[in-house]
Amino acid sequence: MNAPNPSETAFSIAAVERDTGLAKDTLRVWERRYGFPSPTRDANGERLYPADQVERLRMIRRLLDHGRRPARIVGASVEELSAMLDACLCPEGGTPAGRDDGLLQLVRLHRSVELAAALRQALMKQGLQRFVAETVAPLAAAVGEAWMRGEVDVPEEHLFTEQVQNVLRSAIGAHAASEGRPRVLLTTFPEEEHVLGLLMAEAMLVPEGASCLSLGTRTPLADIRSAAVSGGFDIVGLSFSIAYPARQAIEGLLELRALLPEEIALWAGGAAVRDKQKRLPGIHVVGDLEDTMAALLQWRRTHA
Amino acid sequence: MNAPNPSETAFSIAAVERDTGLAKDTLRVWERRYGFPSPTRDANGERLYPADQVERLRMIRRLLDHGRRPARIVGASVEELSAMLDACLCPEGGTPAGRDDGLLQLVRLHRSVELAAALRQALMKQGLQRFVAETVAPLAAAVGEAWMRGEVDVPEEHLFTEQVQNVLRSAIGAHAASEGRPRVLLTTFPEEEHVLGLLMAEAMLVPEGASCLSLGTRTPLADIRSAAVSGGFDIVGLSFSIAYPARQAIEGLLELRALLPEEIALWAGGAAVRDKQKRLPGIHVVGDLEDTMAALLQWRRTHA
DNA sequence: AACCACGTTTGTCCTGGACAAACCGAACTC
DNA sequence: GAGTTCGGTTTGTCCAGGACAAACGTGGTT
């Protein structure tokens, strides 16, 4: 069962790039500069990364996503990395008390059938908005933390995304296509692939009678503008995951703000833009889902 | 409006990699070997690809996806490439007569609002199965052809996928989660990102009373096996887009067949596996959507 | 018609050097 | 105290040109 088959315990540079998201050039230059990683070589002189080094690289990648810089962490031991990862979690201390980790366990154990069933059941019981606020959002946060800890990986994250997407899209579609105001256009910037933020926003807005259209992820700026103008939208909503570089988000938002006619509002949500309101004049930063509801009410008051 | 701003008419190698899907190493080695592309250089000696060369590279990429080899096409002129692309389309000659290209126009013109509305309307009128067979599938084929011709690009393809996904997922969700047989597990291999094939299959099967679970795209083989076994599925369905290398599909399918218990059937659909039935013993190749229905009937007859 | 051996094509990997953009912290201004 | 400007440092990406294994097509054989 655990035969030390090299093809199972060591990885080519291309495989490591896929697994860690670190470019081949980056892996080579780290080796040159910091002495890590230090892959062995195969008969042909090509790098072979042992599994434990790949694991360390994954931890490093997670820390980079949280804003650390390479110099201090590429040389660190597994224990030090682990300590840093812990420090990143719950900076205010302590896991939210009483959170239901049952769903998280289903994700971790790949229990796809049970997960799908449990999500549908929660939706029925809570209704769409409470389902999003009380089940999906906490679960997404829990999966994100587990990701940081290395307890979930790409396939688990994928399973989670897919099942939540299924449930949310069906529920959103069940609301009769509304003609109500405001008309909201939802999407992300071209470098952002995460779709759940959009779906959660849509799921909060649609039951309130807003009419939403999602362009999906990765829409070029010019396309956002033309869709917003030609579709007669009142609001454009952008979503940013935690891994999106804050600087790039701000730059892109300001550019889009300049592109859009004044009467179309621009809303931005997600970890990358939280607390950046002062740097984003003319843009409404929505910190969380409740903020979204508040923003909606405010818009309606203003445009009565 | 059309100021010859170099930053708008020339692209870095990284930008070309993103736009064409051709790796940086590949672009450099083609330049060395075939003399094309032949980018200019910026002040720092870095490659700058003019827009027309990027366009040619895109055409080349499309031909590669259809099985051509680089030696004959990398040196070709735009006219020759264009002729080859035409030859790839409708090898039997002639566009399907009377096809409704209205939806395709909406995709090409980025009319997201109208597209979403038209799709919903078609669904209402036709019902889920006919909608998939008569509207979605032809539209997907038309978008694929337009992609080959260069008339649609990433953003248009993305818009199309997103809107169809929305409509199909809500329609599928509207069917009460069925307990019926067979129980079908749907997914793709890790290198395959296209999700529409899965959704179309699910949309055909669910109204027949089958109970489907989609794991989404990019599921590792081992995860497919464990999900299929632990979920008590009767059938595992895999979908392959036209760009998926046939060789890799066959290899992966045989490996998965060996991994799965005998009593779980394995179905494969999509352009990459069409006409490969003889090379896939123990695997059911479904050529098109009607084949899927036939396969379902046959399964029920066998397992009565 | 299916299969295998052989030469060719083709993408990926290598080294080691270079540089610009991103980033940090300190000094400075409002 | 909050924000800005400015050097110095870090860091990712790019370059050249060589090498090789895997993928591919072809022609001969069963």
mmCIF file with all atom_site columns, all heavy atoms in Angstrom, chain B residues 14 24 28 32 41 47 69, chain D residues 14-18 24:
data_model
loop_
_atom_site.group_PDB
_atom_site.id
_atom_site.type_symbol
_atom_site.label_atom_id
_atom_site.label_alt_id
_atom_site.label_comp_id
_atom_site.label_asym_id
_atom_site.label_entity_id
_atom_site.label_seq_id
_atom_site.pdbx_PDB_ins_code
_atom_site.Cartn_x
_atom_site.Cartn_y
_atom_site.Cartn_z
_atom_site.occupancy
_atom_site.B_iso_or_equiv
_atom_site.pdbx_formal_charge
_atom_site.auth_seq_id
_atom_site.auth_comp_id
_atom_site.auth_asym_id
_atom_site.auth_atom_id
_atom_site.pdbx_PDB_model_num
ATOM 1   N N     . ALA B 1 14 ? 3.685  37.726 -21.392 1.00 0.00 ? 14 ALA B N     1
ATOM 2   C CA    . ALA B 1 14 ? 2.733  37.199 -20.404 1.00 0.00 ? 14 ALA B CA    1
ATOM 3   C C     . ALA B 1 14 ? 1.298  37.438 -20.872 1.00 0.00 ? 14 ALA B C     1
ATOM 4   O O     . ALA B 1 14 ? 0.439  36.563 -20.737 1.00 0.00 ? 14 ALA B O     1
ATOM 5   C CB    . ALA B 1 14 ? 2.968  37.859 -19.045 1.00 0.00 ? 14 ALA B CB    1
ATOM 6   N N     . LYS B 1 24 ? 4.812  30.586 -22.548 1.00 0.00 ? 24 LYS B N     1
ATOM 7   C CA    . LYS B 1 24 ? 5.908  31.484 -22.896 1.00 0.00 ? 24 LYS B CA    1
ATOM 8   C C     . LYS B 1 24 ? 7.034  30.730 -23.576 1.00 0.00 ? 24 LYS B C     1
ATOM 9   O O     . LYS B 1 24 ? 7.573  31.182 -24.592 1.00 0.00 ? 24 LYS B O     1
ATOM 10  C CB    . LYS B 1 24 ? 6.444  32.184 -21.640 1.00 0.00 ? 24 LYS B CB    1
ATOM 11  C CG    . LYS B 1 24 ? 5.435  33.051 -20.910 1.00 0.00 ? 24 LYS B CG    1
ATOM 12  C CD    . LYS B 1 24 ? 6.107  33.762 -19.724 1.00 0.00 ? 24 LYS B CD    1
ATOM 13  C CE    . LYS B 1 24 ? 5.113  34.500 -18.862 1.00 0.00 ? 24 LYS B CE    1
ATOM 14  N NZ    . LYS B 1 24 ? 4.494  33.616 -17.834 1.00 0.00 ? 24 LYS B NZ    1
ATOM 15  N N     . ARG B 1 28 ? 8.611  31.394 -27.376 1.00 0.00 ? 28 ARG B N     1
ATOM 16  C CA    . ARG B 1 28 ? 10.026 31.675 -27.660 1.00 0.00 ? 28 ARG B CA    1
ATOM 17  C C     . ARG B 1 28 ? 10.618 30.647 -28.600 1.00 0.00 ? 28 ARG B C     1
ATOM 18  O O     . ARG B 1 28 ? 11.383 30.979 -29.512 1.00 0.00 ? 28 ARG B O     1
ATOM 19  C CB    . ARG B 1 28 ? 10.805 31.719 -26.337 1.00 0.00 ? 28 ARG B CB    1
ATOM 20  C CG    . ARG B 1 28 ? 10.547 33.003 -25.560 1.00 0.00 ? 28 ARG B CG    1
ATOM 21  C CD    . ARG B 1 28 ? 11.526 33.186 -24.406 1.00 0.00 ? 28 ARG B CD    1
ATOM 22  N NE    . ARG B 1 28 ? 11.128 32.439 -23.225 1.00 0.00 ? 28 ARG B NE    1
ATOM 23  C CZ    . ARG B 1 28 ? 10.622 32.967 -22.121 1.00 0.00 ? 28 ARG B CZ    1
ATOM 24  N NH1   . ARG B 1 28 ? 10.456 34.265 -22.040 1.00 0.00 ? 28 ARG B NH1   1
ATOM 25  N NH2   . ARG B 1 28 ? 10.293 32.208 -21.101 1.00 0.00 ? 28 ARG B NH2   1
ATOM 26  N N     . ARG B 1 32 ? 12.300 30.973 -32.440 1.00 0.00 ? 32 ARG B N     1
ATOM 27  C CA    . ARG B 1 32 ? 13.623 30.470 -32.797 1.00 0.00 ? 32 ARG B CA    1
ATOM 28  C C     . ARG B 1 32 ? 13.536 29.539 -34.002 1.00 0.00 ? 32 ARG B C     1
ATOM 29  O O     . ARG B 1 32 ? 14.332 29.600 -34.928 1.00 0.00 ? 32 ARG B O     1
ATOM 30  C CB    . ARG B 1 32 ? 14.178 29.696 -31.587 1.00 0.00 ? 32 ARG B CB    1
ATOM 31  C CG    . ARG B 1 32 ? 15.676 29.778 -31.431 1.00 0.00 ? 32 ARG B CG    1
ATOM 32  C CD    . ARG B 1 32 ? 16.192 28.765 -30.387 1.00 0.00 ? 32 ARG B CD    1
ATOM 33  N NE    . ARG B 1 32 ? 15.487 28.811 -29.120 1.00 0.00 ? 32 ARG B NE    1
ATOM 34  C CZ    . ARG B 1 32 ? 15.556 27.846 -28.198 1.00 0.00 ? 32 ARG B CZ    1
ATOM 35  N NH1   . ARG B 1 32 ? 16.299 26.772 -28.411 1.00 0.00 ? 32 ARG B NH1   1
ATOM 36  N NH2   . ARG B 1 32 ? 14.891 27.943 -27.063 1.00 0.00 ? 32 ARG B NH2   1
ATOM 37  N N     . ARG B 1 41 ? 10.949 44.626 -29.789 1.00 0.00 ? 41 ARG B N     1
ATOM 38  C CA    . ARG B 1 41 ? 11.444 44.645 -28.415 1.00 0.00 ? 41 ARG B CA    1
ATOM 39  C C     . ARG B 1 41 ? 11.222 46.017 -27.803 1.00 0.00 ? 41 ARG B C     1
ATOM 40  O O     . ARG B 1 41 ? 11.267 47.029 -28.508 1.00 0.00 ? 41 ARG B O     1
ATOM 41  C CB    . ARG B 1 41 ? 12.952 44.327 -28.383 1.00 0.00 ? 41 ARG B CB    1
ATOM 42  C CG    . ARG B 1 41 ? 13.315 42.966 -28.975 1.00 0.00 ? 41 ARG B CG    1
ATOM 43  C CD    . ARG B 1 41 ? 12.673 41.851 -28.198 1.00 0.00 ? 41 ARG B CD    1
ATOM 44  N NE    . ARG B 1 41 ? 12.952 40.548 -28.784 1.00 0.00 ? 41 ARG B NE    1
ATOM 45  C CZ    . ARG B 1 41 ? 13.586 39.576 -28.127 1.00 0.00 ? 41 ARG B CZ    1
ATOM 46  N NH1   . ARG B 1 41 ? 13.998 39.758 -26.890 1.00 0.00 ? 41 ARG B NH1   1
ATOM 47  N NH2   . ARG B 1 41 ? 13.761 38.405 -28.702 1.00 0.00 ? 41 ARG B NH2   1
ATOM 48  N N     . ARG B 1 47 ? 10.134 41.191 -25.279 1.00 0.00 ? 47 ARG B N     1
ATOM 49  C CA    . ARG B 1 47 ? 9.302  41.032 -26.467 1.00 0.00 ? 47 ARG B CA    1
ATOM 50  C C     . ARG B 1 47 ? 8.015  41.849 -26.381 1.00 0.00 ? 47 ARG B C     1
ATOM 51  O O     . ARG B 1 47 ? 7.357  41.876 -25.351 1.00 0.00 ? 47 ARG B O     1
ATOM 52  C CB    . ARG B 1 47 ? 8.940  39.553 -26.652 1.00 0.00 ? 47 ARG B CB    1
ATOM 53  C CG    . ARG B 1 47 ? 10.095 38.674 -27.070 1.00 0.00 ? 47 ARG B CG    1
ATOM 54  C CD    . ARG B 1 47 ? 9.713  37.213 -27.034 1.00 0.00 ? 47 ARG B CD    1
ATOM 55  N NE    . ARG B 1 47 ? 10.769 36.362 -27.566 1.00 0.00 ? 47 ARG B NE    1
ATOM 56  C CZ    . ARG B 1 47 ? 11.848 36.003 -26.890 1.00 0.00 ? 47 ARG B CZ    1
ATOM 57  N NH1   . ARG B 1 47 ? 12.025 36.416 -25.657 1.00 0.00 ? 47 ARG B NH1   1
ATOM 58  N NH2   . ARG B 1 47 ? 12.765 35.242 -27.445 1.00 0.00 ? 47 ARG B NH2   1
ATOM 59  N N     . ARG B 1 69 ? -0.815 20.177 -36.698 1.00 0.00 ? 69 ARG B N     1
ATOM 60  C CA    . ARG B 1 69 ? 0.493  20.251 -36.079 1.00 0.00 ? 69 ARG B CA    1
ATOM 61  C C     . ARG B 1 69 ? 1.176  21.551 -36.461 1.00 0.00 ? 69 ARG B C     1
ATOM 62  O O     . ARG B 1 69 ? 0.948  22.072 -37.554 1.00 0.00 ? 69 ARG B O     1
ATOM 63  C CB    . ARG B 1 69 ? 1.322  19.048 -36.507 1.00 0.00 ? 69 ARG B CB    1
ATOM 64  C CG    . ARG B 1 69 ? 0.518  17.775 -36.295 1.00 0.00 ? 69 ARG B CG    1
ATOM 65  C CD    . ARG B 1 69 ? 1.319  16.614 -35.855 1.00 0.00 ? 69 ARG B CD    1
ATOM 66  N NE    . ARG B 1 69 ? 2.379  16.913 -34.925 1.00 0.00 ? 69 ARG B NE    1
ATOM 67  C CZ    . ARG B 1 69 ? 3.423  16.112 -34.763 1.00 0.00 ? 69 ARG B CZ    1
ATOM 68  N NH1   . ARG B 1 69 ? 3.562  15.056 -35.516 1.00 0.00 ? 69 ARG B NH1   1
ATOM 69  N NH2   . ARG B 1 69 ? 4.337  16.398 -33.872 1.00 0.00 ? 69 ARG B NH2   1
ATOM 70  P P     . DC  D 2 14 ? 6.873  37.527 -17.921 1.00 0.00 ? 14 DC  D P     1
ATOM 71  O OP1   . DC  D 2 14 ? 5.867  38.408 -18.524 1.00 0.00 ? 14 DC  D OP1   1
ATOM 72  O OP2   . DC  D 2 14 ? 6.617  36.086 -17.764 1.00 0.00 ? 14 DC  D OP2   1
ATOM 73  O "O5'" . DC  D 2 14 ? 8.245  37.692 -18.711 1.00 0.00 ? 14 DC  D "O5'" 1
ATOM 74  C "C5'" . DC  D 2 14 ? 8.741  38.997 -18.954 1.00 0.00 ? 14 DC  D "C5'" 1
ATOM 75  C "C4'" . DC  D 2 14 ? 10.204 38.931 -19.299 1.00 0.00 ? 14 DC  D "C4'" 1
ATOM 76  O "O4'" . DC  D 2 14 ? 10.930 38.433 -18.151 1.00 0.00 ? 14 DC  D "O4'" 1
ATOM 77  C "C3'" . DC  D 2 14 ? 10.554 37.971 -20.432 1.00 0.00 ? 14 DC  D "C3'" 1
ATOM 78  O "O3'" . DC  D 2 14 ? 10.822 38.695 -21.628 1.00 0.00 ? 14 DC  D "O3'" 1
ATOM 79  C "C2'" . DC  D 2 14 ? 11.800 37.244 -19.946 1.00 0.00 ? 14 DC  D "C2'" 1
ATOM 80  C "C1'" . DC  D 2 14 ? 12.135 37.894 -18.617 1.00 0.00 ? 14 DC  D "C1'" 1
ATOM 81  N N1    . DC  D 2 14 ? 12.628 36.920 -17.607 1.00 0.00 ? 14 DC  D N1    1
ATOM 82  C C2    . DC  D 2 14 ? 13.981 36.917 -17.265 1.00 0.00 ? 14 DC  D C2    1
ATOM 83  O O2    . DC  D 2 14 ? 14.739 37.715 -17.810 1.00 0.00 ? 14 DC  D O2    1
ATOM 84  N N3    . DC  D 2 14 ? 14.426 36.019 -16.351 1.00 0.00 ? 14 DC  D N3    1
ATOM 85  C C4    . DC  D 2 14 ? 13.568 35.159 -15.795 1.00 0.00 ? 14 DC  D C4    1
ATOM 86  N N4    . DC  D 2 14 ? 14.053 34.303 -14.893 1.00 0.00 ? 14 DC  D N4    1
ATOM 87  C C5    . DC  D 2 14 ? 12.183 35.168 -16.125 1.00 0.00 ? 14 DC  D C5    1
ATOM 88  C C6    . DC  D 2 14 ? 11.752 36.042 -17.027 1.00 0.00 ? 14 DC  D C6    1
ATOM 89  P P     . DC  D 2 15 ? 11.099 37.940 -22.991 1.00 0.00 ? 15 DC  D P     1
ATOM 90  O OP1   . DC  D 2 15 ? 10.833 38.892 -24.080 1.00 0.00 ? 15 DC  D OP1   1
ATOM 91  O OP2   . DC  D 2 15 ? 10.383 36.659 -22.924 1.00 0.00 ? 15 DC  D OP2   1
ATOM 92  O "O5'" . DC  D 2 15 ? 12.658 37.637 -22.963 1.00 0.00 ? 15 DC  D "O5'" 1
ATOM 93  C "C5'" . DC  D 2 15 ? 13.549 38.722 -22.819 1.00 0.00 ? 15 DC  D "C5'" 1
ATOM 94  C "C4'" . DC  D 2 15 ? 14.965 38.217 -22.847 1.00 0.00 ? 15 DC  D "C4'" 1
ATOM 95  O "O4'" . DC  D 2 15 ? 15.283 37.640 -21.558 1.00 0.00 ? 15 DC  D "O4'" 1
ATOM 96  C "C3'" . DC  D 2 15 ? 15.189 37.102 -23.867 1.00 0.00 ? 15 DC  D "C3'" 1
ATOM 97  O "O3'" . DC  D 2 15 ? 15.989 37.565 -24.931 1.00 0.00 ? 15 DC  D "O3'" 1
ATOM 98  C "C2'" . DC  D 2 15 ? 15.866 35.983 -23.111 1.00 0.00 ? 15 DC  D "C2'" 1
ATOM 99  C "C1'" . DC  D 2 15 ? 16.119 36.524 -21.739 1.00 0.00 ? 15 DC  D "C1'" 1
ATOM 100 N N1    . DC  D 2 15 ? 15.753 35.540 -20.686 1.00 0.00 ? 15 DC  D N1    1
ATOM 101 C C2    . DC  D 2 15 ? 16.752 34.941 -19.932 1.00 0.00 ? 15 DC  D C2    1
ATOM 102 O O2    . DC  D 2 15 ? 17.925 35.260 -20.145 1.00 0.00 ? 15 DC  D O2    1
ATOM 103 N N3    . DC  D 2 15 ? 16.415 34.038 -18.982 1.00 0.00 ? 15 DC  D N3    1
ATOM 104 C C4    . DC  D 2 15 ? 15.127 33.729 -18.788 1.00 0.00 ? 15 DC  D C4    1
ATOM 105 N N4    . DC  D 2 15 ? 14.834 32.842 -17.841 1.00 0.00 ? 15 DC  D N4    1
ATOM 106 C C5    . DC  D 2 15 ? 14.090 34.338 -19.555 1.00 0.00 ? 15 DC  D C5    1
ATOM 107 C C6    . DC  D 2 15 ? 14.440 35.229 -20.494 1.00 0.00 ? 15 DC  D C6    1
ATOM 108 P P     . DA  D 2 16 ? 16.078 36.681 -26.253 1.00 0.00 ? 16 DA  D P     1
ATOM 109 O OP1   . DA  D 2 16 ? 16.334 37.636 -27.342 1.00 0.00 ? 16 DA  D OP1   1
ATOM 110 O OP2   . DA  D 2 16 ? 14.918 35.775 -26.298 1.00 0.00 ? 16 DA  D OP2   1
ATOM 111 O "O5'" . DA  D 2 16 ? 17.368 35.778 -26.075 1.00 0.00 ? 16 DA  D "O5'" 1
ATOM 112 C "C5'" . DA  D 2 16 ? 18.611 36.380 -25.766 1.00 0.00 ? 16 DA  D "C5'" 1
ATOM 113 C "C4'" . DA  D 2 16 ? 19.634 35.301 -25.546 1.00 0.00 ? 16 DA  D "C4'" 1
ATOM 114 O "O4'" . DA  D 2 16 ? 19.316 34.632 -24.302 1.00 0.00 ? 16 DA  D "O4'" 1
ATOM 115 C "C3'" . DA  D 2 16 ? 19.624 34.230 -26.641 1.00 0.00 ? 16 DA  D "C3'" 1
ATOM 116 O "O3'" . DA  D 2 16 ? 20.936 34.033 -27.113 1.00 0.00 ? 16 DA  D "O3'" 1
ATOM 117 C "C2'" . DA  D 2 16 ? 19.053 32.993 -25.962 1.00 0.00 ? 16 DA  D "C2'" 1
ATOM 118 C "C1'" . DA  D 2 16 ? 19.319 33.235 -24.490 1.00 0.00 ? 16 DA  D "C1'" 1
ATOM 119 N N9    . DA  D 2 16 ? 18.284 32.705 -23.614 1.00 0.00 ? 16 DA  D N9    1
ATOM 120 C C8    . DA  D 2 16 ? 16.927 32.848 -23.746 1.00 0.00 ? 16 DA  D C8    1
ATOM 121 N N7    . DA  D 2 16 ? 16.234 32.260 -22.797 1.00 0.00 ? 16 DA  D N7    1
ATOM 122 C C5    . DA  D 2 16 ? 17.201 31.694 -21.984 1.00 0.00 ? 16 DA  D C5    1
ATOM 123 C C6    . DA  D 2 16 ? 17.118 30.940 -20.803 1.00 0.00 ? 16 DA  D C6    1
ATOM 124 N N6    . DA  D 2 16 ? 15.972 30.605 -20.225 1.00 0.00 ? 16 DA  D N6    1
ATOM 125 N N1    . DA  D 2 16 ? 18.282 30.521 -20.243 1.00 0.00 ? 16 DA  D N1    1
ATOM 126 C C2    . DA  D 2 16 ? 19.434 30.870 -20.817 1.00 0.00 ? 16 DA  D C2    1
ATOM 127 N N3    . DA  D 2 16 ? 19.644 31.574 -21.932 1.00 0.00 ? 16 DA  D N3    1
ATOM 128 C C4    . DA  D 2 16 ? 18.467 31.965 -22.464 1.00 0.00 ? 16 DA  D C4    1
ATOM 129 P P     . DG  D 2 17 ? 21.205 33.496 -28.585 1.00 0.00 ? 17 DG  D P     1
ATOM 130 O OP1   . DG  D 2 17 ? 22.337 34.211 -29.179 1.00 0.00 ? 17 DG  D OP1   1
ATOM 131 O OP2   . DG  D 2 17 ? 19.885 33.430 -29.241 1.00 0.00 ? 17 DG  D OP2   1
ATOM 132 O "O5'" . DG  D 2 17 ? 21.656 32.009 -28.298 1.00 0.00 ? 17 DG  D "O5'" 1
ATOM 133 C "C5'" . DG  D 2 17 ? 22.387 31.725 -27.122 1.00 0.00 ? 17 DG  D "C5'" 1
ATOM 134 C "C4'" . DG  D 2 17 ? 22.266 30.254 -26.812 1.00 0.00 ? 17 DG  D "C4'" 1
ATOM 135 O "O4'" . DG  D 2 17 ? 21.180 30.035 -25.880 1.00 0.00 ? 17 DG  D "O4'" 1
ATOM 136 C "C3'" . DG  D 2 17 ? 21.937 29.368 -28.028 1.00 0.00 ? 17 DG  D "C3'" 1
ATOM 137 O "O3'" . DG  D 2 17 ? 22.642 28.181 -27.838 1.00 0.00 ? 17 DG  D "O3'" 1
ATOM 138 C "C2'" . DG  D 2 17 ? 20.432 29.152 -27.874 1.00 0.00 ? 17 DG  D "C2'" 1
ATOM 139 C "C1'" . DG  D 2 17 ? 20.383 28.992 -26.374 1.00 0.00 ? 17 DG  D "C1'" 1
ATOM 140 N N9    . DG  D 2 17 ? 19.064 29.067 -25.761 1.00 0.00 ? 17 DG  D N9    1
ATOM 141 C C8    . DG  D 2 17 ? 17.924 29.644 -26.248 1.00 0.00 ? 17 DG  D C8    1
ATOM 142 N N7    . DG  D 2 17 ? 16.906 29.524 -25.432 1.00 0.00 ? 17 DG  D N7    1
ATOM 143 C C5    . DG  D 2 17 ? 17.398 28.812 -24.354 1.00 0.00 ? 17 DG  D C5    1
ATOM 144 C C6    . DG  D 2 17 ? 16.769 28.370 -23.170 1.00 0.00 ? 17 DG  D C6    1
ATOM 145 O O6    . DG  D 2 17 ? 15.604 28.520 -22.829 1.00 0.00 ? 17 DG  D O6    1
ATOM 146 N N1    . DG  D 2 17 ? 17.652 27.682 -22.332 1.00 0.00 ? 17 DG  D N1    1
ATOM 147 C C2    . DG  D 2 17 ? 18.967 27.455 -22.624 1.00 0.00 ? 17 DG  D C2    1
ATOM 148 N N2    . DG  D 2 17 ? 19.663 26.770 -21.713 1.00 0.00 ? 17 DG  D N2    1
ATOM 149 N N3    . DG  D 2 17 ? 19.570 27.862 -23.724 1.00 0.00 ? 17 DG  D N3    1
ATOM 150 C C4    . DG  D 2 17 ? 18.732 28.532 -24.546 1.00 0.00 ? 17 DG  D C4    1
ATOM 151 P P     . DG  D 2 18 ? 22.997 27.148 -29.021 1.00 0.00 ? 18 DG  D P     1
ATOM 152 O OP1   . DG  D 2 18 ? 24.278 27.547 -29.625 1.00 0.00 ? 18 DG  D OP1   1
ATOM 153 O OP2   . DG  D 2 18 ? 21.814 26.940 -29.870 1.00 0.00 ? 18 DG  D OP2   1
ATOM 154 O "O5'" . DG  D 2 18 ? 23.264 25.832 -28.167 1.00 0.00 ? 18 DG  D "O5'" 1
ATOM 155 C "C5'" . DG  D 2 18 ? 23.862 25.953 -26.871 1.00 0.00 ? 18 DG  D "C5'" 1
ATOM 156 C "C4'" . DG  D 2 18 ? 23.299 24.883 -25.960 1.00 0.00 ? 18 DG  D "C4'" 1
ATOM 157 O "O4'" . DG  D 2 18 ? 22.009 25.303 -25.435 1.00 0.00 ? 18 DG  D "O4'" 1
ATOM 158 C "C3'" . DG  D 2 18 ? 23.057 23.529 -26.646 1.00 0.00 ? 18 DG  D "C3'" 1
ATOM 159 O "O3'" . DG  D 2 18 ? 23.642 22.505 -25.864 1.00 0.00 ? 18 DG  D "O3'" 1
ATOM 160 C "C2'" . DG  D 2 18 ? 21.553 23.418 -26.708 1.00 0.00 ? 18 DG  D "C2'" 1
ATOM 161 C "C1'" . DG  D 2 18 ? 21.125 24.212 -25.483 1.00 0.00 ? 18 DG  D "C1'" 1
ATOM 162 N N9    . DG  D 2 18 ? 19.763 24.704 -25.549 1.00 0.00 ? 18 DG  D N9    1
ATOM 163 C C8    . DG  D 2 18 ? 19.219 25.516 -26.518 1.00 0.00 ? 18 DG  D C8    1
ATOM 164 N N7    . DG  D 2 18 ? 17.958 25.794 -26.299 1.00 0.00 ? 18 DG  D N7    1
ATOM 165 C C5    . DG  D 2 18 ? 17.652 25.130 -25.133 1.00 0.00 ? 18 DG  D C5    1
ATOM 166 C C6    . DG  D 2 18 ? 16.443 25.056 -24.402 1.00 0.00 ? 18 DG  D C6    1
ATOM 167 O O6    . DG  D 2 18 ? 15.359 25.585 -24.677 1.00 0.00 ? 18 DG  D O6    1
ATOM 168 N N1    . DG  D 2 18 ? 16.559 24.270 -23.263 1.00 0.00 ? 18 DG  D N1    1
ATOM 169 C C2    . DG  D 2 18 ? 17.718 23.631 -22.878 1.00 0.00 ? 18 DG  D C2    1
ATOM 170 N N2    . DG  D 2 18 ? 17.656 22.912 -21.760 1.00 0.00 ? 18 DG  D N2    1
ATOM 171 N N3    . DG  D 2 18 ? 18.861 23.690 -23.537 1.00 0.00 ? 18 DG  D N3    1
ATOM 172 C C4    . DG  D 2 18 ? 18.749 24.453 -24.648 1.00 0.00 ? 18 DG  D C4    1
ATOM 173 P P     . DC  D 2 24 ? 0.021  13.136 -29.386 1.00 0.00 ? 24 DC  D P     1
ATOM 174 O OP1   . DC  D 2 24 ? -0.931 14.262 -29.428 1.00 0.00 ? 24 DC  D OP1   1
ATOM 175 O OP2   . DC  D 2 24 ? -0.383 11.810 -28.880 1.00 0.00 ? 24 DC  D OP2   1
ATOM 176 O "O5'" . DC  D 2 24 ? 0.626  12.946 -30.842 1.00 0.00 ? 24 DC  D "O5'" 1
ATOM 177 C "C5'" . DC  D 2 24 ? 1.345  14.039 -31.414 1.00 0.00 ? 24 DC  D "C5'" 1
ATOM 178 C "C4'" . DC  D 2 24 ? 1.999  13.584 -32.688 1.00 0.00 ? 24 DC  D "C4'" 1
ATOM 179 O "O4'" . DC  D 2 24 ? 3.171  12.805 -32.367 1.00 0.00 ? 24 DC  D "O4'" 1
ATOM 180 C "C3'" . DC  D 2 24 ? 1.126  12.689 -33.565 1.00 0.00 ? 24 DC  D "C3'" 1
ATOM 181 O "O3'" . DC  D 2 24 ? 0.817  13.398 -34.745 1.00 0.00 ? 24 DC  D "O3'" 1
ATOM 182 C "C2'" . DC  D 2 24 ? 1.986  11.446 -33.830 1.00 0.00 ? 24 DC  D "C2'" 1
ATOM 183 C "C1'" . DC  D 2 24 ? 3.372  11.890 -33.416 1.00 0.00 ? 24 DC  D "C1'" 1
ATOM 184 N N1    . DC  D 2 24 ? 4.255  10.822 -32.874 1.00 0.00 ? 24 DC  D N1    1
ATOM 185 C C2    . DC  D 2 24 ? 5.500  10.597 -33.470 1.00 0.00 ? 24 DC  D C2    1
ATOM 186 O O2    . DC  D 2 24 ? 5.846  11.295 -34.427 1.00 0.00 ? 24 DC  D O2    1
ATOM 187 N N3    . DC  D 2 24 ? 6.310  9.626  -32.975 1.00 0.00 ? 24 DC  D N3    1
ATOM 188 C C4    . DC  D 2 24 ? 5.908  8.904  -31.924 1.00 0.00 ? 24 DC  D C4    1
ATOM 189 N N4    . DC  D 2 24 ? 6.740  7.966  -31.463 1.00 0.00 ? 24 DC  D N4    1
ATOM 190 C C5    . DC  D 2 24 ? 4.646  9.128  -31.292 1.00 0.00 ? 24 DC  D C5    1
ATOM 191 C C6    . DC  D 2 24 ? 3.850  10.089 -31.803 1.00 0.00 ? 24 DC  D C6    1
#
